[in-house]
Amino acid sequence: MASIAAAQVQEVRSITRIERIGAHSHIRGLGLDDSLEPRAVSQGMVGQKMARKAAGVILQMIREGKIAGRAVLLAGQPGTGKTAIAMGLAQALGPDTPFTSMAGSEIYSLEMSKTEALTQAIRKSIGIRIKEESEIIEGEVVEVVVERAAGGGGARVGRLTLKTTDMETNYDLGAKMIDSLLKEKVQAGDVITIDKATGKINKLGRSFARARDYDATGQQARFVQCPEGELQKRKEVVHTVTLHEVDVINSRTHGFLALFSGDTGEIKSEIREQINSKVAEWREEGKAEMIPGVLFVDEAHMLDIECFSFLNRALESETAPVVIMATNRGITRIRGTNYRSPHGIPLDLLDRMIIVPTTPYSHQELREILNIRCEEEDCQMSADALTVLTRVATETSLRYAIQLITTASLVARRRKATEVSMEDVKKVYSLFLDEHRSEQFLKEYQDEFMFDDGAGGDNAPQMMEVSQ
Amino acid sequence: MKRTSSLIENLNDGSIKLKKTIISVNFENKMFRNTIWYKSLLGAEKSCLKEDKIKKVHYKFEDDREMVEEYNVDTQVLLRRAWKVKSKLGGDGKWEVEIGDPIPDPTPNVEIADIVESKDQPIVTRRNTRVNLEWRIRNLPYPISTYSISANNEEKCITVRTTNKKYFKKLQIPELIRLGLPIEQAHIQSTHQYNTLIIMYKKPQQLLDMDKEWYEELKQVKPIKDVPNECKAQ
C-alpha cells in the first residue's frame, strides 16, 4: 500500500512541475503586425484573417479604453478558432488588462443567483490602478528549499532565504508562494522583490556576485547589485485590482461573523454603490485610473433569457467592460423561452453587438495548424503523416485530428521511433473513433444497445435541449 | 519633586548657570504642549475602560485615525500603544502595535500571508519603562561585540548593524519625532542576554514631563462603568 501512495505522490509532483499543454496553449497573440494587419502564420494563429483583423480593431478600442460596454459576438462553426481568437486577444492585451473568461453554463452551478454571477464576472473585468504603500521584500536569493512534509501526501513546506549586503533572513512559504516561485523559476543568485500583500514576485535580475557562474544564464540575463539595508521596506507601489476584489475586501468588514451569516459570496448592492462612488472620487482626484477589461463568455447560447436581458441593461453602465461572446449555434431556441433566434441570442441584444464571423479553415491552413500543434505537443511528425492527418482533419474535424497527434506520437514511441510515420497515424485512426464513425457504428448496432427506441437517433437533438 | 532637586544642584554650581537654567526650564519644560502631537491628543475623541490594573484608552483623532493605549494603573507606565491601519481600498483595518507585545492574530489569513518570517528569525518588540524607551530584539544569538548601535539623526532612527552581516534594522523612535527632539548617542545603552538584544534609550526630560502631564489629563476621561456583556466575554 505504501508503495502505491508513494507512486501517487510522485505523479502529483511531476504534474505540478511541468507546464501543461492546453487546447489553446500555442496561442501567443493575435498574430497582427504593427498596423494591425494579420500575418498569415504568426503567434500560433493561422488563417481566419478577416476575424483576426476585426479582433485587432477591437483590441485597439479596448486599449484606448474610452468606450465602455460594447459587445462582440464571435460566431462560427465548431473548430473554427473562436476561442483561439479570444485567447489571442487576451494575450495581446497583456497581463495588466483584466481578462475574465467564463463559459455560459458556469452561472448555473454557482451558489448564487445568475445575475449576481454575471455582475461579479463583469466587475472582475474592470481594473483599478491605484497607488498604495505596501510592504516589499527586496533581496538576493540565497536558497529556495521546497520539500514535502513527511508521511506522504502532506502539504509542501517551503523555505526561502534572502539577503541584502547587511542582513539575511529566512522566510516560511505557503503553497501559493511555492507555486509562484517555481513558476517564475526563482533560483539562488536572483535578485527579487515580493509584494507581501499580494504575493506578487518580480525578478529584477541576477546578482553581480554570481556574474562569474558559468551555469546557463540566458543571453538576456540582467545583472544587478545586491540590495542594501533592510530586506523589508515600505514602498509606494502601483497595484491593479479589479472592482470585484475591492467589493470583496469591503464586504468582509464584519470579519469572521460573515462565516456564520451564511455567506454565499453574494455582495450587497449598497456596498457596490458605495465603492462605485468611492472609485469615482479617486478618479476625480487623480488617485486612481480605471482600466476597462474584457469579459469573454464562451458558449454564450447557454445563457438564458434572464441573463440576456440583464446584460442588455448592464452594458449601458459606464463601468461596463467590453463583452465578447462566442457561439457555434445557428438559428436555435433561446434558452428559457420557446422563441427561436439567430445564435440563440435575442434580437435586441444581437442588435447591440458587432458580429465577427469565423469561417472553416482551408486545407493548407489545417496543415499549418496541425504543424503548430505538433510542435506544441513536442512531437516529430513526418511529412506524409502530416498529410494524412490533414486529410483526417478535413474529413472529420480539426479537434479529432489534434487528438491524434499525441496518441500517434505515443504509438511511435512504443516502437522506439523518433518520428511519427503514416502507419502510426493510421493505427490511432483505427483505434479511436471519430464522432461520425461512432454514429455509424451506433446506427448499425443500435438494437443491441440498452434503452434503444429504434427511432434512429431522431430524438437525440431534442433530448439535449430539455435540460432546464 | 525631581525637577526641584535638580534645580538645587544647579544652584550650588553657580548663580550665572542658575539663571540660565531657570529660563530654559521655564521655556522648555512645557514646550511639548505646542507640538502637533500633543494638540491632536487633546483634540481626539477619547473613551476609557478600566480592567483590573489596566487602563485602556481609545482615541479617535480628527483625521479619522484610531489609537489604543494601555496603562498600568500602579506604575503609570504605558504598556501598549497600537494604531489601526486601514488600507486605501477600504475594509477593516488591522491593529499595528507601536509599543508592547504584538497582538496574536486569531484568524490568520492563509490566503494572503503566504510569505512570513520563520519563527526563529529576529523579531523586534517595544517595551518602555518609566525612564527608558526600550527595544527587545529576540532570536539574536550573536555576542554583544557583534552589534553596533548608532544614532542616525538624518533618518531619525537608531541603526542596528552586525559585523557578520546577519542582521540590520532601523529602529524608528516615534516618541522623539513627535516632540521634534534629536537622537543622542550618549543616551543609548544596550545589553545582550538569552539571545535577546535589549536597546535602551533614556527618555529626555521633555518626554518624561509630557508622559506625566498626559497621564494627569487622562484622569479627566471617565472610565465606562457598564461594559456590555458581549465585550466582556472577549
Side-chain angles (χ1 to χ4, degrees):
Chain A
M1 283 306 279
S3 65
I4 294 172
Q8 276 170 344
V9 168
Q10 194 62 44
E11 209 167 300
V12 171
R13 190 180 292 171
S14 63
I15 285 173
T16 47
R17 283 282 165 82
I18 301 168
E19 281 169 32
R20 303 200 63 207
I21 302 160
H24 293 103
S25 52
H26 60 283
I27 308 277
R28 283 174 250 289
L30 280 172
L32 305 173
D33 59 21
D34 292 338
S35 54
L36 296 179
E37 284 297 320
R39 298 193 197 101
V41 180
S42 168
Q43 296 183 317
M45 286 291 211
V46 180
Q48 231 49 280
K49 282 195 181 169
M50 291 309 282
R52 274 159 60 202
K53 201 168 174 180
V57 175
I58 293 161
L59 174 70
Q60 199 59 34
M61 182 172 88
I62 298 165
R63 274 195 188 142
E64 277 172 19
K66 278 182 193 152
I67 291 167
R70 284 299 161 88
V72 182
L73 179 68
L74 293 166
Q77 293 90 326
T80 50
K82 298 178 295 295
T83 312
I85 287 177
M87 294 297 152
L89 190 67
Q91 297 271 3
L93 281 169
D96 264 350
T97 312
F99 187 94
T100 319
S101 180
M102 66 183 286
S105 49
E106 229 171 78
I107 55 166
Y108 301 104
S109 45
L110 295 169
E111 273 190 350
M112 55 176 93
S113 70
K114 289 176 271 186
T115 49
E116 172 71 19
L118 276 177
T119 314
Q120 289 197 1
I122 285 174
R123 288 178 81 86
K124 271 181 203 165
S125 321
I126 301 270
I128 306 279
R129 210 195 296 260
I130 193 163
K131 255 193 203 161
E132 214 191 357
E133 207 172 66
S134 184
E135 297 255 323
I136 299 284
I137 305 170
E138 182 177 353
E140 179 187 328
V141 179
V142 179
E143 195 181 26
V144 203
V145 183
V146 178
E147 50 201 21
R148 201 167 279 276
R156 279 175 304 167
V157 182
R159 205 183 62 233
L160 175 70
T161 310
L162 289 176
K163 70 165 185 185
T164 66
T165 50
D166 297 303
M167 68 181 293
E168 196 174 304
T169 301
N170 297 326
Y171 291 91
D172 287 336
L173 307 174
K176 253 186 177 172
M177 184 57 68
I178 293 173
D179 281 342
S180 38
L181 280 172
L182 292 178
K183 200 174 143 216
E184 293 279 334
K185 301 195 180 76
V186 170
Q187 49 181 338
D190 287 342
V191 177
I192 59 170
T193 63
I194 301 175
D195 188 329
K196 233 185 167 185
T198 59
K200 207 171 160 190
I201 299 169
N202 191 7
K203 252 186 177 179
L204 300 180
R206 298 276 303 165
S207 168
F208 267 118
R210 300 273 182 151
R212 278 192 304 163
D213 284 11
Y214 45 85
D215 59 359
T217 47
Q219 284 176 326
Q220 63 275 61
R222 200 153 45 107
F223 288 101
V224 291
Q225 292 289 358
C226 181
E228 296 177 340
E230 279 178 89
L231 269 167
Q232 205 158 308
K233 291 159 193 164
R234 291 194 78 87
K235 266 192 184 172
E236 278 248 300
V237 205
V238 180
H239 276 265
T240 310
V241 289
T242 65
L243 273 184
H244 177 67
E245 283 167 335
V246 184
D247 287 349
V248 170
I249 292 170
N250 284 282
S251 69
R252 296 278 155 83
T253 41
H254 308 295
F256 62 103
L257 281 180
L259 290 176
F260 302 107
S261 63
D263 183 23
T264 56
E266 295 208 7
I267 288 160
K268 289 199 187 88
S269 58
E270 304 104 73
I271 288 173
R272 291 220 168 95
E273 271 161 37
Q274 225 176 306
I275 283 159
N276 283 350
S277 61
K278 206 167 192 181
V279 168
E281 203 179 288
W282 288 338
R283 286 179 70 195
E284 253 172 47
E285 292 167 7
K287 280 184 192 164
E289 198 184 328
M290 192 180 270
I291 317 163
V294 176
L295 170 62
F296 173 56
V297 187
D298 211 348
E299 313 283 338
H301 50 266
M302 289 304 285
L303 298 175
D304 64 7
I305 187 78
E306 278 174 57
C307 299
F308 288 128
S309 63
F310 175 79
L311 276 178
N312 259 341
R313 180 76 192 81
L315 284 177
E316 274 169 15
S317 149
E318 239 178 83
T319 55
V322 171
V323 180
I324 298 180
M325 298 193 214
T327 178
N328 53 21
R329 298 294 158 98
I331 296 172
T332 180
R333 215 163 49 82
I334 303 167
R335 191 168 173 170
T337 69
N338 285 317
Y339 299 107
R340 291 167 72 83
S341 179
H343 312 296
I345 295 172
L347 286 174
D348 55 343
L349 184 58
L350 271 179
D351 196 28
R352 282 164 200 263
M353 292 180 163
I354 39 179
I355 300 172
V356 178
T358 56
T359 47
Y361 290 108
S362 72
H363 193 80
Q364 191 51 43
E365 284 162 355
L366 285 175
R367 193 185 167 96
E368 205 58 63
I369 293 172
L370 287 169
N371 197 13
I372 291 172
R373 283 306 299 184
C374 284
E375 254 169 53
E376 184 70 22
E377 292 177 27
D378 205 14
C379 159
Q380 289 278 335
M381 189 159 294
S382 64
D384 54 345
L386 195 61
T387 315
V388 173
L389 210 55
T390 316
R391 246 185 90 85
V392 171
T394 353
E395 275 164 25
T396 63
S397 77
L398 178 59
R399 287 218 168 87
Y400 176 70
I402 288 173
Q403 311 267 38
L404 295 187
I405 294 175
T406 293
T407 41
S409 101
L410 286 175
V411 168
R413 215 184 298 164
R414 263 181 77 98
R415 60 175 182 89
K416 298 199 168 55
T418 51
E419 205 181 47
V420 177
S421 71
M422 199 161 70
E423 276 66 40
D424 298 322
V425 176
K426 278 184 179 160
K427 178 147 192 207
V428 286
Y429 183 77
S430 64
L431 278 176
F432 303 105
L433 294 185
D434 60 290
E435 167 263 324
H436 188 66
R437 275 184 294 154
S438 175
E439 198 188 322
Q440 284 291 321
F441 178 79
L442 283 182
K443 274 186 182 155
E444 235 168 276
Y445 298 102
Q446 63 177 321
D447 29 325
E448 286 167 34
F449 281 83
M450 278 180 64
F451 305 125
D452 172 58
D453 55 8
D458 280 352
N459 281 338
Q462 274 177 10
M463 294 279 284
M464 279 171 70
E465 290 199 29
V466 203
S467 56
Q468 336 188 347
Chain B
M1 283 302 287
K2 244 185 181 175
R3 208 181 311 137
T4 40
S5 66
S6 70
L7 272 180
I8 293 161
E9 276 171 35
N10 279 329
L11 211 146
N12 296 336
D13 279 1
S15 56
I16 309 161
K17 214 174 183 182
L18 167 81
K19 263 187 187 171
K20 266 190 188 167
T21 328
I22 291 172
I23 294 165
S24 67
V25 164
N26 279 340
F27 176 68
E28 263 181 27
N29 106 39
K30 301 293 181 191
M31 194 197 70
F32 60 83
R33 287 184 179 167
N34 294 326
T35 57
I36 301 168
W37 168 242
Y38 197 77
K39 282 176 186 164
S40 73
L41 282 179
L42 281 174
E45 197 181 298
K46 293 173 278 283
S47 50
C48 173
L49 197 125
K50 243 181 196 168
E51 210 171 66
D52 298 335
K53 293 282 178 203
I54 294 172
K55 181 176 182 175
K56 299 181 177 182
V57 191
H58 177 267
Y59 300 79
K60 184 151 192 173
F61 293 101
E62 277 153 354
D63 58 358
D64 237 24
R65 291 189 306 162
E66 285 179 71
M67 180 181 88
V68 165
E69 287 182 340
E70 290 177 15
Y71 290 92
N72 183 323
V73 181
D74 292 340
T75 59
Q76 304 191 1
V77 168
L78 179 62
L79 299 174
R80 180 177 274 168
R81 176 184 286 151
W83 291 86
K84 186 150 215 175
V85 184
K86 277 188 181 166
S87 104
K88 217 174 182 179
L89 294 173
D92 210 14
K94 272 205 291 194
W95 286 101
E96 204 161 88
V97 178
E98 181 185 308
I99 296 168
D101 293 330
I103 307 164
D105 193 354
T107 52
N109 194 339
V110 192
E111 292 279 300
I112 295 171
D114 224 22
I115 178 162
V116 282
E117 282 88 352
S118 302
K119 290 272 186 297
D120 59 350
Q121 292 304 301
I123 181 163
V124 184
T125 51
R126 287 290 310 271
R127 190 187 288 176
N128 288 359
T129 64
R130 200 201 302 246
V131 288
N132 284 332
L133 305 172
E134 264 186 33
W135 290 262
R136 283 154 189 269
I137 311 178
R138 293 176 214 284
N139 296 332
L140 273 181
Y142 322 111
I144 185 83
S145 56
T146 323
Y147 311 102
S148 87
I149 301 156
S150 54
N152 181 347
N153 262 314
E154 265 167 53
E155 290 178 64
K156 297 199 167 51
C157 61
I158 294 176
T159 313
V160 182
R161 282 172 217 278
T162 47
T163 49
N164 59 5
K165 304 286 184 201
K166 289 289 182 195
Y167 189 70
F168 178 92
K169 184 84 188 167
K170 286 174 180 168
L171 301 168
Q172 304 292 331
I173 320 175
E175 288 94 337
L176 297 189
I177 294 172
R178 283 171 194 143
L179 295 183
L181 297 173
I183 304 164
E184 281 167 53
Q185 183 75 43
H187 288 180
I188 301 174
Q189 275 188 318
S190 63
T191 59
H192 184 265
Q193 209 175 11
Y194 311 124
N195 280 353
T196 304
L197 177 70
I198 304 174
I199 300 165
M200 286 158 288
Y201 188 90
K202 202 164 145 264
K203 281 187 186 174
Q205 192 61 42
Q206 279 292 324
L207 191 56
L208 289 170
D209 290 346
M210 195 196 106
D211 283 353
K212 206 168 184 184
E213 187 166 321
W214 185 245
Y215 195 78
E216 291 301 311
E217 189 76 35
L218 279 179
K219 284 183 178 164
Q220 292 176 20
V221 185
K222 288 280 158 273
I224 301 163
K225 280 281 175 303
D226 45 326
V227 183
N229 272 331
E230 58 224 74
C231 285
K232 257 183 184 163
Q234 288 184 356

